[in-house]
Amino acid sequence: MPVKHPNRIPLARLPTPLVRLQRLERELGGGPLQIWLKRDDLTGVEFSGNKVRKLEYIAADALAAGCDTLITEGTPQSNHCRATAAVCARLGLRSHLLFRPPPPEDPPQGNHLLDVLFGARTSAFARERFTAEHDEIVRDAARSTNADGGRARYTPAGASEPLGCWGYIRAAAELAEQLAAAHVDEADVVLAVSSGGTYAGLLLGALVHRLDHLKVWAVPVSDDVGYHRRNVSRLCREAIEQFGLPAEFDESRLQFIDGYVGPGYGVPYPEAIAALRLLARVEGMVLDPVYTAKAFCAVLDGVRGGRFGCERPVVFIHTGGIFSNFAWPETLLQ
Ligand SMILES: *Cc1c(COP(=O)(O)O)cnc(C)c1O
């Protein structure tokens, strides 16, 4: 039975390039090594990264429901909040971003600066209060949209709800096609995981499109593996049920590479910064300090330890995030 895709608004520039990092391969010793980068940092809509693939579906759903506002949440440097603000500006929708914790003193930097340019409305909350009163805070935000004569759709952090997973169900097929064209018969695919929708989408995409030759590994950059195991499983199960996907999910599909969160979410550490600087210097490509630098660290360690890239190619999904670099310049230059 063919899978019925939900409606989407095409916003991303697809397919994103799949490139081989030959200079990095040489830098790491060459030989039979194959390292590929799937450039989802280049999806467009002002460098929205992985989030725009999810928001294509969320925005379509909001418009179909007659909504004029998207409400979402994240830190002030959230790539997802910024991507939501950009997508809303593109589509003539309003965005209301719920920040936790509040941004540091003015002026806004990095992603937050862009939120302001895109005309987003922002509200800020202490982290403890936001956690304790989450549902009321979201309801109040929706109510205030209604009071202004509007209608709001809420999407959770990272747009990681079952509908958002479609972005990467679709991306899995795109990647498989590109790998086939590049004569890559099997590969390890590695990505950062935080709110989980990207990983859940790729896993579901691999199941739905029967891509058994791709083994997908997730590198947590926040929380612990137990949390991610529960969260990604939940997303996969909910999406299968909600959309009647022809997929059998079991937890043995989940493969995490632990040990790369460092001191905490959004807090960089020297090895991650070194990974970011290495790719910038050798390939002219820029990772971000919160997600992709940490996850790419796992790829580099895997390559150096012979786990990735030698027996079969390794593909890293570059999920974006460039603007965070400009929020913490001191860190990158340490
Ligand atoms: C949000 C984000 C991720 C993580 O994706 P999730 O779907 O939240 O797990 C990875 N990289 C970047 C740059 C992001 O902004």
Side-chain angles (χ1 to χ4, degrees):
M1 202 176 64
V3 187
K4 189 176 176 308
H5 286 239
N7 288 333
R8 62 183 263 272
I9 299 176
L11 290 166
R13 241 172 237 272
L14 303 178
T16 57
L18 175 71
V19 297
R20 189 166 164 191
L21 303 180
Q22 282 176 308
R23 271 182 302 278
L24 181 68
E25 289 167 7
R26 279 200 293 277
E27 180 88 10
L28 296 175
L33 203 52
Q34 272 199 47
I35 308 173
W36 295 80
L37 197 63
K38 173 68 170 158
R39 298 221 46 195
D40 270 16
D41 55 324
L42 300 182
T43 47
V45 197
E46 315 325 291
F47 297 96
S48 280
N50 61 339
K51 300 309 181 311
V52 71
R53 288 191 189 261
K54 306 177 185 188
L55 289 167
E56 287 189 334
Y57 291 92
I58 307 297
D61 186 59
L63 287 174
C67 297
D68 66 350
T69 302
L70 284 182
I71 297 174
T72 195
E73 60 182 77
T75 65
Q77 282 308 325
S78 160
N79 297 315
H80 163 65
C81 285
R82 181 255 307 147
T84 303
V87 162
C88 285
R90 266 309 151 90
L91 296 174
L93 296 167
R94 290 185 293 174
S95 56
H96 186 175
L97 310 176
L98 311 175
F99 287 153
R100 32 67 181 179
E105 290 305 300
D106 286 336
Q109 313 256 339
N111 284 304
H112 185 202
L113 173 62
L114 291 171
D115 297 337
V116 174
L117 296 181
F118 293 134
R121 177 177 169 195
T122 61
S123 306
F125 305 87
R127 196 177 279 287
E128 302 69 36
R129 173 165 171 230
F130 195 82
T131 307
E133 299 173 22
H134 178 268
D135 294 0
E136 290 104 287
I137 288 171
V138 170
R139 243 193 327 265
D140 284 350
R143 259 196 223 116
S144 97
T145 307
N146 297 346
D148 293 342
R151 194 181 158 93
R153 188 194 190 284
Y154 166 74
T155 191
S160 287
E161 56 177 294
L163 182 62
C165 291
W166 275 95
Y168 277 84
I169 293 177
R170 198 159 179 274
E174 178 183 311
L175 175 62
E177 210 171 287
Q178 289 174 315
L179 287 171
H183 307 292
V184 173
D185 300 330
E186 52 169 349
D188 290 301
V189 178
V190 183
L191 76 159
V193 61
S194 177
S195 69
T198 306
Y199 188 34
L202 277 179
L203 288 170
L204 291 169
L207 286 170
V208 168
H209 307 301
R210 303 189 188 289
L211 309 175
D212 290 333
H213 58 301
L214 302 184
K215 193 165 181 183
V216 194
W217 302 84
V219 184
V221 299
S222 67
D223 306 285
D224 57 34
V225 168
Y227 167 80
H228 290 293
R229 192 172 289 287
R230 288 190 300 279
N231 186 49
V232 176
S233 300
R234 172 189 62 83
L235 277 168
C236 288
R237 294 213 169 88
E238 287 178 6
I240 288 171
E241 182 172 329
Q242 193 169 325
F243 301 105
L245 299 178
E248 295 269 342
F249 174 79
D250 82 85
E251 282 198 18
S252 65
R253 288 256 162 194
L254 297 176
Q255 320 246 26
F256 294 102
I257 307 176
D258 199 8
Y260 291 89
V261 180
Y265 171 74
V267 187
Y269 48 87
E271 295 80 2
I273 300 302
L276 187 152
R277 292 178 64 152
L278 175 65
L279 193 69
R281 181 171 55 77
V282 174
E283 294 281 358
M285 296 172 191
V286 183
L287 299 169
D288 81 286
V290 179
Y291 298 93
T292 51
K294 292 182 180 181
F296 198 64
C297 231
V299 173
L300 291 176
D301 285 349
V303 167
R304 290 179 183 125
R307 175 187 193 179
F308 285 141
C310 292
E311 269 158 43
R312 51 194 198 156
V314 61
V315 181
F316 182 66
I317 315 273
H318 188 341
T319 37
I322 190 168
F323 301 113
S324 314
N325 287 303
F326 307 109
W328 296 294
E330 335 55 57
T331 318
L332 299 186
L333 297 174
Q334 264 164 24

